[in-house]
Amino acid sequence: MPKFIFCTGGVVSSVGKGVTVASIGRILKARGIRVSIQKLDPYINVDPGTMSPYQHGEVFVTEDGAETDLDLGHYERFVDENLTRASNVTTGQVYAEVIAKERRGDFLGGTVQVVPHITNEIKRRIGLAAKETGADVLIVEIGGTVGDIESLPFLEAIRQMRKDIGREHVMYIHVTLLPHICSTGELKTKPTQHSVKELRGVGIQPNVIICRSDFAIDDNLRDKISLFTDVEKEAVVPLVTARNIYEVPLVLEDFGLGKLVTRQLDLPDRTPDLSAWRALMRRIDAPKEPVRIAVVGKYVELPDAYISVREALFHACLANDRAVDIDWILSEDLERDKSFDRLTQADGIVVPGGFGERGIEGKILAARYARVHKIPYLGLCLGMQVMCVELARFVLESDEPNSTEFNPGTHYPVIDLMPDQRGISEMGGTMRLGHYPCKLVPGTVAARAYGEDLISERHRHRFEFNNAYREMLNKAGMEYSGLSPEGNLVEIAELRDHPFMLGSQFHPEFKSRPDRPHPLFREFVRAAAETERQGKQKKLPM
Ligand code: GLN
């Protein structure tokens, strides 16, 4: 019988509830408990795959090809367990299922209602995630904050679960913010009192309150919160903004949260083994020389849009004993002759994934700069596609080569739709998604980086390398170092006679872990660190 920890948020969003939940997962896993995490999102979209990064940040892709909330990236990086399609549930999915049943006649003439039909479907999906992952403990994060109209059915469902499966199997953790008033230098508990009152109003009494704050939280404040909320003082857990997100599991464990949870859920109280995690933190804290990486993208004002890329670079730098210094360059700036000075300062260039035409020419310029000046380059999905377009433009001495995504009528469709993508008009969930095998060609940079000949990586794209251009670009210095097992799809392309210029059609960033950096990121950063050591940035104009 799995146990459940339900995490709600209070006061405001964006206080790091996802990282907190992921950290709870880590401290339980450190006790030998099998943990999985699920996120319930109250919006009506079926998944975030169709949402703009401005609305939602990154779309995280699971092994089984679900397009999910970026918090799942935190969960996988902290708990190091692969999640599935069942790990992210939205209101849209819940209603779609219930309405489909109603149309089939499953409700036998009954009136279909939020309680019990919607809440039952939510509970069914929570149970499914626990069953599918075989977890001893499923941690469930409820998106948004208590008091939102749209999260009510989720709160009602998790309230019922305590009665359904028994008190000793269910626990509620509420994550809030203590705002700081500058003029008086105080932290305020009132918003927390109100949000707990709201939670109690829907019948949920939290067992633990985690208080986020940018300043130290003294004992009096914890007393006060305890008094007003009926939560034991020892279960009012302060969580002051950490130097680094990977510190959060240690802060929570050192305060005693692991013990509180195991006691509440009647789990064996084993001593946690967080030695590897503590060693990781010591390595993070050790002084290191920086390496500067330019990330040339379209949503750079919003780093949440590239959160897995940022983390993968951080992991790879750590493995190379370097501090990461990311310069986020707006690709459109390069088109307007701006920001080139920043590109010339970079020891390495990343062009991440993306959709749509805006900023594409700037990305092609970044690829050209990297190729001509032999600056390490890592292309992720769209970044691989622009690397191929750039080389074709050079070979053909023309600006005509393109992806048909950006110029459907181009005479040189270097990147094009695969036949099985033609004629698809539905936008949601119809791309090439999730894990696919890839064979590496011995002797290539990619094969050396992985040290394996068959790998599996996660995809999220519609367009592919057009095989009609294989020979032409090969003659110009491009190797196809990763291919689908049948050999018909180019999954990795790299350049000969370059310190490191490689692009992958998949997204390696999703599989990077703090203690297990992704091989392509690791080798890219190694090459960038070498560029920095040699003081090699040419600071040349284009
Ligand atoms: N827009 C490109 C495609 O659909 C690349 C997608 C991506 O970078 N994830 O193929």
Side-chain angles (χ1 to χ4, degrees), residues 476-488:
M478 184 170 273
E479 295 291 342
Y480 308 105
S481 48
L483 296 169
S484 58
E486 305 74 35
N488 57 328

Side-chain angles (χ1 to χ4, degrees), residues 351-356 360 363 380-385 403 405-406 415-417 431 459-464 504-507 509-510:
V351 175
F355 296 84
I360 203 74
K363 292 178 187 178
L380 308 170
C381 203
L382 180 63
M384 177 261 201
Q385 298 175 353
S403 162
E405 179 180 1
F406 314 123
I415 306 294
D416 199 5
L417 277 184
M431 280 186 266
H459 292 248
R460 180 175 186 248
H461 56 101
R462 242 179 250 292
F463 293 80
E464 308 272 357
S504 65
Q505 189 54 85
F506 49 79
H507 288 273
E509 66 270 25
F510 294 140

Side-chain angles (χ1 to χ4, degrees), residues 384-398:
M384 177 261 201
Q385 298 175 353
V386 302
M387 169 180 155
C388 300
V389 168
E390 188 284 316
L391 191 62
R393 287 185 177 191
F394 171 70
V395 174
L396 296 165
E397 295 180 42
S398 157

